[in-house]
Amino acid sequence: MREITYAEAIREALRQEMQRDPHVFLMGEDIGVYGGAFGVTLGLLEEFGPERVRDTPISEGVIAGAAAGAALTGMRPVAEIMFMDFTTLAMEQLVNQAAKTRYMFGGKAKVPMVLRTPAGSGTGAAAQHSQSLEAWFVHVPGLKVVMPSTPYDAKGLLISAIRDDNPVIFVEQKLLYRTKGPVPEEPYTVPLSVAEVKRAGRDVTIIATGVMVVRSLAAAAKLAQEGIEVEVVDPRTLKPYDAETITKSVIKTGRVLIVHEAYKTCGFGAEIAAMISEGPAFMYLNAPIRRLAGLDIPIPYNRTLEYHAVPQEENIITAVRELMAYK
Amino acid sequence: MREITYAEAIREALRQEMQRDPHVFLMGEDIGVYGGAFGVTLGLLEEFGPERVRDTPISEGVIAGAAAGAALTGMRPVAEIMFMDFTTLAMEQLVNQAAKTRYMFGGKAKVPMVLRTPAGSGTGAAAQHSQSLEAWFVHVPGLKVVMPSTPYDAKGLLISAIRDDNPVIFVEQKLLYRTKGPVPEEPYTVPLSVAEVKRAGRDVTIIATGVMVVRSLAAAAKLAQEGIEVEVVDPRTLKPYDAETITKSVIKTGRVLIVHEAYKTCGFGAEIAAMISEGPAFMYLNAPIRRLAGLDIPIPYNRTLEYHAVPQEENIITAVRELMAYK
Amino acid sequence: MDGAGQLTKEKLIDMLRKMHTIRAFEEKADQLFALGKVHGTMHLSIGMEATAVGAIAALRPDDYITSTHRGHGHCIAKGGDVKLMMAEFLGKETGYCRGRGGSMHIADVESGNLGATGVVGGGIPTAVGAALSVQLRKTGQVVLCFFGDGAANMGIFHESLNLAAIWKLPVVFVCENNQYAMSMPVARAFPIENIADRAAAYAMPGKVVDGNDVLAVYAAVAEAVDRARAGEGPSLIECKTYRWKGHSKSDQERYRTREEVAAWKKKDPIARFEAYLLQEGLLTEEQRQAIAKEAQERIEEAVAFAESSPEPRVEEISEGVYA
Amino acid sequence: MDGAGQLTKEKLIDMLRKMHTIRAFEEKADQLFALGKVHGTMHLSIGMEATAVGAIAALRPDDYITSTHRGHGHCIAKGGDVKLMMAEFLGKETGYCRGRGGSMHIADVESGNLGATGVVGGGIPTAVGAALSVQLRKTGQVVLCFFGDGAANMGIFHESLNLAAIWKLPVVFVCENNQYAMSMPVARAFPIENIADRAAAYAMPGKVVDGNDVLAVYAAVAEAVDRARAGEGPSLIECKTYRWKGHSKSDQERYRTREEVAAWKKKDPIARFEAYLLQEGLLTEEQRQAIAKEAQERIEEAVAFAESSPEPRVEEISEGVYA
Ligand SMILES: Cc1ncc(C[n+]2csc(CCOP(=O)(O)OP(=O)(O)O)c2C)c(N)n1
Ligand SMILES: Cc1ncc(C[n+]2csc(CCOP(=O)(O)OP(=O)(O)O)c2C)c(N)n1
Ligand SMILES: [Mg+2]
Ligand SMILES: [Mg+2]
């Protein structure tokens, strides 16, 4: 199959959905001629024109709020917030309005919008351009949260998100934009709220999100050489997440490592650990549930410090070995 | 000892700190002649004048941001956001600026501010005036998060928060404002990041926050009549929290119930459950770790639905009994 | 009074009827509250009926509105059913929002009422988004966006007006300046006298009108609606008015004097409109009384409907979070 | 050129020196980037040196500034040490922020530089808060708040200017309008011609100046600073200028033409200031060359300092989160 990048896969999903459904349109800062800060929307302005590919002024609040208002009245906006750090400016509209409208209105309205935003460190952009704030959105009823780790998933999940009738926060991974993988040319969907076992194994379950899926798979390949068979589960949708697939894997392996880039305290990993330890997998555990996550510090600028602020392949390998020490 | 309400205790802390330190001042919506939406600041305008008790226009962003700016330049502002739901409008300033300034600037600056905000449901105010969003702030390095459950703690923790050199989110409980308890007249501090065992017991550890401490204590009293001895631990500070006190209690009892009002998924309870299940208490557990939290729904208006949206005393009793069924 | 020229007698009488209905609805709401029949909060617009009714009179039935925490009047003026409103107010399953929303969240998206919101300013970008939707779908609708003086100091007001202006969206921003945001008087919250003057910052027309004069409100909004419908973009209209009641149930009103309230009560928009209609021979005294009486009756029926309606079922508490 | 009247020859020469230092610093930064010596991003203000230097020349040493993502110029103009800046740029332990902040977060709170921020508009309320602090502490300081044209469409701009206005805070808002926010031209982002006209919405003086004329910037800001220091409240000054380089390292500049850039390069603020000083006999050609050369040398020294400085220690990665 043809291989394209994660960024191209996202662009293709946008293009194909815009071709299919005239209600789909894009809005955000510098998404037109500039193509977005990471070039994801390059070429779409030329293809669809400025009515449907709308550059906005810097005003994240109204970007989110107007997307919700347009969604409430029949459109399917895909809004972009240039860095996930700046969703901080849109929380009122996302959390109090978009997420709650349907319930508050007695289930009689819907808000089919997608908010795309790139997250993560590793680009030397320091504390205000490197955050992974998905846990906040996972905490909010009414929102869905998606975080793809491969080009294939990125395209299929984005198409699902656009077709979904709820507000979806679509968290893209900066460090994955240029990674390549097989992606069908025709439109297809990857269902929301279905996790995928990216690698099967019997000894340890790694539950990883986003770029950490890639690092976990690399770690798993090395660990296999030592005879340790790691199963890597990628939730893909973080809200509502697929507890069943995770639980099944944990029951099989009895050992759990959760890996994410976001700050450890009250991150998504806390939720997964809590879910496991209150659920049916609890009694199958052979070792404490281990979380490997970003340090609880703002992302530092210095390259070496930045590297050490979030989990790397070698940290995953070490953590798995430590888990294997429990008999 | 004299008994006063939770609201009065907060007011007294503000008054005494303003008397002690001319750098302390208040800003927020309707905190002057109106006394704040819940009357907490009543009388302070008369005592300290409009220079130090500053009514602001409705503009949560600049309330938080100006407080941070004033703190950075030598003052000790205590800002109020009228409902925790509206901190959504101040996230950029709180999370990207106030919380990160010190680290980003190489540890060479400090932002000694307090942001007071009332949280919780139970007042019939529906989805946009009833949230408990503390988990978001717990996720953010650089912030401290405090949530008192008694008048005594409210006063002592607020004084500590004002004297602390970091930005502190001080989460007040609407339903506790009128509860009374013993409070010394003189200023005193309750240290941040120190949990308190509010009731000792050997069978089950309940870790509860805010108004849920009160409900847990009531439940514990009833359960004692059945011979079940519940230990109730109140973290009081949620970030950085006191893992040691919690761990000690869990090692003693082997059974854990975590109770909070906030939405369950990715709430503070997830963090506590994860901490326990990755730490030394894990091997002492006799039962799965149980979370009892708000449903993952926007708070409904209807009184009965609202009641059932968050944990009540009877739910706590049932959950404890279920935990006791594990041998 | 001015601007009645374009309005038929029928329409004028309908406007009066709506003003009475709003007044009656809110007086009843106040009573129910006092009787302890309501759990929660509410915000009454008694004394402000002319802004809701005058503004919405300028709309087509298929146009949109966004409302505020003080939204009963907007809903009634848009043709809302007081039975469903009252049921919502009492938290019943038959209410507009199945009892999940309450006073602060009444909405009827089908009929173009995009809903009240409890967050000050929270509905302004919603209106901008709806106007964008209209522009993209080319339906010729217009969006009327209500908000208070307090909202005009929020960041989202600024972002929203700017976006509407650069994209020439069909939205009319109607600021109901009732002199206070809770306890904060406009004179302290604003460095300028007229909020409408902020329109200049977005190159849109800005107009101040007497918000207690239903026909003046109508005329100003009608002009702005025409402009919006013609593709010429948004406008900002400031209606100067006053709320007679406290901000919400728990207000001690320490921030204003009784004299001030009394002075504004003399400017009752309903009495004023009636006097005009009587004087112009468009209304008789009997009709006037009948209209007021019918309004009361409609509200009594609504209360009966609401009180006899079922409560939401606890088993359905989680319904409607996701579509 | 205008406004030089109040300035001594010494001060004028110092201003020129600073403009050269900024230019040299940023040209070197650009080179280091091209050589792959820098990990991260940066935003260059080459072509905009007059706004930073002209505005800050109007301050007392103990006054405050808040800066932006495009902040090297502000820092140098405020008297920042280019050694510590360059070390920060290279992420070294000796940098202003111990290598934790980088180009976008250089700060020196001690000396009154309250720091650059990576969030557009993020520093505006900081400035308002610092001005409030000054007012409460009665120190007579003034706060200069820099931000771009893009920031002027953000909600926080509106909230901040309103608060500063009603409280008459000693803050001067300096908008560096360099014609673009990333790829967004002001003509598309704003419905009005002059951002300074928004001052009227807050009843504060608003003034447009030629941002490439260092003395015009100085004069306008000096007037506003005097006003602020006298307790008469804030002002908004819009400096029309241009950035010569791309928005950041990765900019393809598809949104503007080479001709446009070339036309603005002809308006080089440094060359213009030099021509004025030469013409007025305040500067000789030898001095001019010496100043430019010294600036280069200072930057070379800074690079040497930075490059020979130690990296932060990984063991200290968690230091400085909490006080
Ligand atoms: C963002 C936000 N901040 C504060 C509040 C609390 N609050 C509710 S109504 C109100 C005053 C609103 O004033 P205005 O916009 O003038 O409307 P009015 O109540 O006068 O109709 C306040 C402060 C809120 N609901 N939302
Ligand atoms: C809130 C926010 N939104 C978006 C960005 C991404 N961004 C960085 S600089 C910039 C353009 C800023 O334009 P302007 O304020 O005119 O300053 P300039 O870069 O022209 O100096 C953008 C969109 C950001 N840093 N912060
Ligand atoms: Mg008002
Ligand atoms: Mg610019």
Side-chain angles (χ1 to χ4, degrees):
Chain A
M1 199 186 295
R2 172 193 67 146
E3 300 220 331
I4 60 175
T5 67
Y6 185 94
E8 286 161 353
I10 293 168
R11 187 185 311 137
E12 191 164 278
L14 293 172
R15 178 186 299 120
Q16 291 178 344
E17 285 302 287
M18 289 179 80
Q19 285 167 347
R20 189 187 61 81
D21 183 349
H23 296 99
V24 178
F25 72 97
L26 315 184
M27 62 191 289
E29 293 157 20
D30 305 288
I31 62 168
V33 63
Y34 200 101
F38 299 93
V40 173
T41 53
L42 261 180
L44 298 179
L45 172 67
E46 288 73 0
E47 184 170 349
F48 298 101
E51 279 267 294
R52 292 181 72 196
V53 180
R54 307 184 75 99
D55 275 335
T56 64
I58 309 174
S59 44
E60 284 77 5
V62 76
I63 291 171
L72 185 61
T73 53
M75 298 299 291
R76 291 191 171 269
V78 181
E80 178 179 312
I81 300 272
M82 196 184 285
F83 286 80
M84 191 167 207
D85 312 72
F86 311 146
T87 59
T88 48
L89 287 158
M91 294 309 279
E92 199 290 295
Q93 288 296 314
L94 294 172
V95 171
N96 292 333
Q97 312 294 337
K100 296 192 170 53
T101 293
R102 182 176 177 79
Y103 188 87
M104 246 167 29
F105 291 0
K108 295 175 185 167
K110 60 180 191 180
V111 184
M113 65 177 275
V114 176
L115 189 110
R116 293 179 43 241
T117 193
S121 65
T123 68
Q128 296 174 334
H129 283 76
S130 304
Q131 290 171 92
S132 301
L133 299 171
E134 58 274 6
W136 286 359
F137 298 100
V138 173
H139 190 46
V140 178
L143 296 179
K144 296 190 174 183
V145 181
V146 172
M147 197 163 165
S149 71
T150 67
Y152 181 90
D153 286 349
K155 178 172 171 182
L157 288 167
L158 182 51
I159 291 180
S160 290
I162 292 171
R163 296 183 190 177
D164 194 90
D165 276 342
N166 300 287
V168 181
I169 310 296
F170 192 85
V171 186
E172 303 176 3
Q173 299 288 285
K174 280 172 230 168
L175 289 192
L176 296 184
Y177 275 136
R178 295 172 185 210
T179 58
K180 282 200 165 186
V183 176
E185 293 192 26
E186 67 281 3
Y188 62 92
T189 58
V190 169
L192 302 188
S193 295
V194 178
E196 188 177 55
V197 176
K198 295 281 189 203
R199 177 189 176 110
R202 60 164 190 259
D203 296 322
V204 180
T205 297
I206 292 185
I207 299 120
T209 57
V211 68
M212 294 301 156
V213 175
V214 176
R215 291 190 191 156
S216 297
L217 289 169
K222 297 217 175 116
L223 288 159
Q225 294 166 8
E226 306 174 14
I228 302 173
E229 287 302 334
V230 174
E231 177 144 313
V232 179
V233 181
D234 177 359
R236 302 195 291 195
T237 298
L238 277 53
K239 172 92 170 216
Y241 64 85
D242 175 358
E244 204 184 309
T245 301
I246 295 170
T247 301
K248 246 169 68 183
S249 176
V250 175
I251 289 175
K252 180 168 73 172
T253 63
R255 290 185 182 79
V256 182
L257 177 67
I258 304 164
V259 193
H260 61 62
E261 165 156 7
Y263 309 126
K264 179 175 184 183
T265 303
C266 253
F268 178 67
E271 172 59 31
I272 296 302
M275 179 273 288
I276 294 169
S277 61
E278 74 188 341
F282 173 76
M283 54 193 223
Y284 294 88
L285 289 174
N286 296 323
I289 299 173
R290 179 76 187 275
R291 287 180 291 169
L292 191 62
L295 299 181
D296 285 308
I297 64 170
I299 296 290
Y301 170 70
N302 173 278
R303 185 175 211 148
T304 309
L305 295 186
E306 184 186 26
Y307 181 87
H308 285 94
V310 302
Q312 303 293 345
E313 192 184 313
E314 58 268 28
N315 308 119
I316 299 171
I317 291 174
T318 308
V320 168
R321 286 196 193 122
E322 285 168 9
L323 281 173
M324 288 306 292
Y326 288 84
K327 291 297 156 198
Chain B
M1 198 187 295
R2 170 192 70 144
E3 299 222 330
I4 61 174
T5 67
Y6 185 93
E8 285 162 352
I10 293 168
R11 187 185 310 139
E12 191 163 279
L14 294 172
R15 178 186 299 118
Q16 291 177 344
E17 285 302 287
M18 289 179 79
Q19 285 166 348
R20 189 188 61 83
D21 182 350
H23 296 99
V24 178
F25 71 97
L26 315 184
M27 62 191 290
E29 294 157 20
D30 304 289
I31 62 169
V33 62
Y34 200 102
F38 299 93
V40 173
T41 52
L42 262 180
L44 298 179
L45 173 67
E46 288 74 359
E47 184 169 349
F48 297 101
E51 279 268 294
R52 293 181 72 195
V53 180
R54 307 184 76 100
D55 275 336
T56 64
I58 309 175
S59 43
E60 283 77 6
V62 75
I63 291 171
L72 185 60
T73 52
M75 298 298 291
R76 292 192 170 269
V78 182
E80 177 178 312
I81 300 271
M82 197 184 283
F83 286 81
M84 190 167 208
D85 311 72
F86 311 146
T87 59
T88 48
L89 288 158
M91 295 309 278
E92 200 289 296
Q93 288 297 314
L94 293 172
V95 171
N96 292 334
Q97 311 295 339
K100 296 192 170 51
T101 294
R102 181 174 178 78
Y103 188 86
M104 247 167 29
F105 291 180
K108 295 176 186 168
K110 61 181 189 180
V111 185
M113 65 177 275
V114 176
L115 188 110
R116 293 179 42 240
T117 192
S121 64
T123 67
Q128 296 173 335
H129 283 76
S130 305
Q131 289 171 94
S132 300
L133 298 171
E134 59 275 6
W136 287 359
F137 299 99
V138 173
H139 190 45
V140 178
L143 296 180
K144 296 191 174 183
V145 181
V146 172
M147 196 163 165
S149 69
T150 66
Y152 181 90
D153 285 350
K155 178 171 170 183
L157 287 167
L158 182 50
I159 291 180
S160 290
I162 292 172
R163 297 183 190 176
D164 194 89
D165 275 341
N166 300 286
V168 181
I169 311 295
F170 192 84
V171 187
E172 303 176 3
Q173 300 286 286
K174 281 172 228 167
L175 289 191
L176 296 184
Y177 275 135
R178 294 172 186 210
T179 58
K180 281 199 165 188
V183 175
E185 292 191 28
E186 67 282 3
Y188 61 94
T189 58
V190 169
L192 301 187
S193 294
V194 177
E196 188 177 54
V197 177
K198 294 281 189 204
R199 177 189 175 109
R202 58 163 194 259
D203 296 323
V204 180
T205 297
I206 293 184
I207 299 122
T209 56
V211 68
M212 294 301 154
V213 175
V214 176
R215 291 190 191 155
S216 297
L217 288 170
K222 297 218 175 114
L223 288 159
Q225 294 166 9
E226 306 173 14
I228 302 174
E229 286 302 335
V230 174
E231 176 144 312
V232 179
V233 181
D234 177 359
R236 303 195 291 195
T237 298
L238 276 53
K239 173 88 170 221
Y241 64 85
D242 175 358
E244 202 183 313
T245 301
I246 295 169
T247 300
K248 246 167 72 182
S249 176
V250 175
I251 289 175
K252 179 167 75 171
T253 64
R255 289 185 183 79
V256 181
L257 176 67
I258 303 165
V259 193
H260 61 62
E261 164 155 9
Y263 310 125
K264 180 175 182 181
T265 303
C266 254
F268 179 66
E271 171 59 30
I272 296 302
M275 179 273 289
I276 293 169
S277 60
E278 72 188 343
F282 173 76
M283 55 192 220
Y284 294 88
L285 288 174
N286 296 323
I289 299 173
R290 177 76 186 274
R291 285 181 291 170
L292 191 62
L295 299 180
D296 284 308
I297 63 170
I299 296 291
Y301 171 69
N302 173 277
R303 185 176 214 147
T304 309
L305 295 187
E306 185 186 27
Y307 182 88
H308 285 94
V310 302
Q312 301 294 344
E313 191 183 314
E314 57 270 27
N315 308 120
I316 299 172
I317 291 174
T318 306
V320 169
R321 286 196 193 123
E322 285 168 9
L323 281 174
M324 288 307 292
Y326 288 84
K327 293 295 157 198
Chain C
M1 284 197 166
D2 208 17
Q6 301 142 272
L7 294 166
T8 62
K9 181 176 160 183
E10 242 174 4
K11 173 110 183 183
L12 290 165
I13 298 296
D14 183 57
M15 287 164 70
L16 179 62
R17 195 170 281 130
K18 284 185 167 138
M19 290 171 79
H20 271 292
T21 307
I22 297 171
R23 178 76 53 97
F25 183 92
E26 296 208 312
E27 281 175 344
K28 177 56 74 178
D30 210 16
Q31 274 172 35
L32 292 170
F33 225 103
L35 292 171
K37 296 207 182 183
V38 186
H39 170 62
T41 192
M42 68 174 175
H43 305 84
L44 303 178
S45 66
I46 294 177
M48 299 164 59
E49 296 87 351
T51 63
V53 171
I56 291 174
L59 293 184
R60 285 191 333 213
D62 67 332
D63 287 333
Y64 290 119
I65 65 163
T66 62
S67 176
T68 69
H69 58 287
R70 201 176 300 287
H72 302 148
H74 309 141
C75 188
I76 291 172
K78 188 75 172 80
D81 182 334
V82 289
K83 283 207 190 76
L84 309 194
M85 287 176 68
M86 194 59 85
E88 188 59 36
F89 187 56
L90 296 187
K92 296 303 183 77
E93 181 68 23
T94 55
Y96 266 120
C97 308
R98 300 183 62 200
R100 271 73 169 169
S103 164
M104 261 193 297
H105 303 299
I106 295 177
D108 185 16
V109 175
E110 287 282 288
S111 84
N113 177 357
L114 302 181
T117 175
V119 186
V120 172
I124 308 179
T126 314
V128 170
L132 173 57
S133 167
V134 161
Q135 192 188 63
L136 287 165
R137 291 185 290 114
K138 304 192 185 2
T139 58
Q141 293 158 285
V142 166
V143 186
L144 212 61
C145 173
F146 288 102
F147 55 94
D149 46 284
N153 277 329
M154 295 187 65
I156 197 68
F157 164 88
H158 180 67
E159 295 188 359
S160 298
L161 268 71
N162 191 64
L163 198 70
I166 60 172
W167 289 353
K168 285 200 179 303
L169 299 179
V171 52
V172 178
F173 298 102
V174 179
C175 180
E176 299 182 282
N177 176 354
N178 60 7
Q179 314 304 322
Y180 293 91
M182 219 159 139
S183 69
M184 183 64 137
V186 290
R188 276 209 292 140
F190 289 84
I192 52 173
E193 173 136 357
N194 293 317
I195 295 171
D197 290 349
R198 290 197 168 159
Y202 316 101
M204 64 174 79
K207 190 158 189 175
V208 177
V209 293
D210 179 343
N212 282 14
D213 178 346
V214 69
L215 296 179
V217 172
Y218 166 78
V221 175
E223 193 187 332
V225 165
D226 286 350
R227 197 182 134 83
R229 217 178 304 276
E232 291 163 32
S235 306
L236 172 61
I237 291 165
E238 177 187 1
C239 306
K240 307 245 192 204
T241 181
Y242 200 80
R243 66 166 155 74
W244 293 7
K245 297 281 176 173
H247 168 70
S248 66
K249 56 164 183 171
S250 47
D251 186 354
Q252 307 290 321
E253 301 189 47
R254 290 191 201 89
Y255 50 85
R256 63 183 186 181
T257 63
R258 278 186 209 174
E259 292 69 38
E260 184 182 292
V261 179
W264 273 93
K265 283 192 177 168
K266 295 213 184 94
K267 304 185 203 167
D268 182 357
I270 297 185
R272 183 163 165 188
F273 188 33
E274 287 177 345
Y276 167 81
L277 293 173
L278 288 166
Q279 183 196 310
E280 297 287 311
L282 297 162
L283 182 76
T284 65
E285 178 55 24
E286 297 77 62
Q287 283 174 316
R288 194 193 68 73
Q289 287 179 17
I291 287 172
K293 189 152 160 280
E294 278 161 33
Q296 307 279 0
E297 287 165 4
R298 240 188 326 276
I299 299 306
E300 290 304 333
E301 274 171 46
V303 172
F305 170 81
E307 291 195 325
S308 64
S309 285
E311 290 274 317
R313 290 153 44 89
V314 174
E315 310 84 77
E316 293 172 2
I317 192 171
S318 293
E319 272 183 11
V321 179
Y322 292 98
Chain D
M1 284 199 164
D2 208 17
Q6 301 143 271
L7 294 166
T8 62
K9 181 176 160 184
E10 242 173 4
K11 173 111 183 182
L12 290 165
I13 298 295
D14 182 58
M15 287 164 70
L16 179 63
R17 194 172 280 129
K18 283 185 167 141
M19 290 171 77
H20 271 290
T21 306
I22 297 171
R23 178 77 51 98
F25 183 92
E26 296 209 311
E27 282 176 344
K28 178 55 74 177
D30 209 17
Q31 273 173 35
L32 292 170
F33 226 102
L35 293 171
K37 296 207 182 181
V38 186
H39 169 63
T41 191
M42 69 176 174
H43 305 83
L44 302 179
S45 65
I46 294 177
M48 299 165 57
E49 296 87 351
T51 64
V53 171
I56 292 174
L59 295 184
R60 288 193 328 215
D62 67 332
D63 288 332
Y64 290 119
I65 66 163
T66 63
S67 176
T68 70
H69 57 286
R70 202 175 300 287
H72 303 148
H74 309 141
C75 187
I76 291 172
K78 187 74 173 80
D81 181 334
V82 290
K83 283 206 189 76
L84 308 194
M85 287 177 67
M86 194 59 84
E88 188 57 37
F89 187 56
L90 296 188
K92 297 302 182 78
E93 181 68 23
T94 53
Y96 266 121
C97 308
R98 300 183 61 200
R100 272 73 170 169
S103 164
M104 262 193 296
H105 302 298
I106 295 177
D108 185 16
V109 175
E110 286 282 288
S111 84
N113 178 357
L114 301 181
T117 174
V119 186
V120 172
I124 307 180
T126 313
V128 170
L132 172 57
S133 167
V134 161
Q135 193 186 64
L136 287 165
R137 290 186 289 114
K138 302 193 186 5
T139 59
Q141 292 158 287
V142 166
V143 186
L144 211 61
C145 172
F146 289 103
F147 56 94
D149 47 284
N153 278 328
M154 293 188 66
I156 198 69
F157 165 88
H158 180 67
E159 296 188 359
S160 298
L161 268 71
N162 190 65
L163 198 71
I166 60 172
W167 289 352
K168 285 200 180 301
L169 298 179
V171 51
V172 178
F173 298 102
V174 179
C175 179
E176 298 182 283
N177 177 354
N178 59 7
Q179 315 304 322
Y180 292 92
M182 218 158 141
S183 70
M184 184 63 137
V186 290
R188 277 209 291 141
F190 289 83
I192 52 174
E193 174 136 357
N194 293 318
I195 296 171
D197 290 349
R198 290 198 167 157
Y202 316 101
M204 65 175 78
K207 190 159 187 174
V208 178
V209 294
D210 179 344
N212 282 14
D213 178 346
V214 69
L215 296 179
V217 173
Y218 166 79
V221 174
E223 193 186 333
V225 165
D226 286 349
R227 198 182 133 83
R229 217 179 303 276
E232 291 162 32
S235 307
L236 172 60
I237 291 165
E238 176 186 2
C239 306
K240 307 245 193 203
T241 181
Y242 200 80
R243 65 167 155 74
W244 292 8
K245 297 281 174 174
H247 166 70
S248 65
K249 55 163 183 172
S250 47
D251 185 354
Q252 305 292 319
E253 302 189 45
R254 289 189 202 90
Y255 50 84
R256 63 183 188 182
T257 63
R258 279 187 210 170
E259 292 70 38
E260 184 183 291
V261 178
W264 274 93
K265 284 192 176 168
K266 294 212 186 95
K267 304 186 203 166
D268 181 357
I270 296 184
R272 183 164 167 187
F273 188 34
E274 287 177 344
Y276 167 81
L277 293 173
L278 288 167
Q279 182 196 310
E280 297 288 310
L282 297 161
L283 182 76
T284 66
E285 178 55 25
E286 297 77 64
Q287 283 174 314
R288 195 193 67 74
Q289 286 179 19
I291 287 171
K293 189 152 162 281
E294 277 161 34
Q296 308 279 0
E297 287 165 5
R298 238 186 331 273
I299 299 306
E300 290 305 333
E301 274 171 45
V303 172
F305 170 80
E307 292 195 325
S308 65
S309 285
E311 291 274 317
R313 290 152 45 88
V314 175
E315 309 84 78
E316 293 172 2
I317 191 171
S318 293
E319 271 183 12
V321 179
Y322 292 99

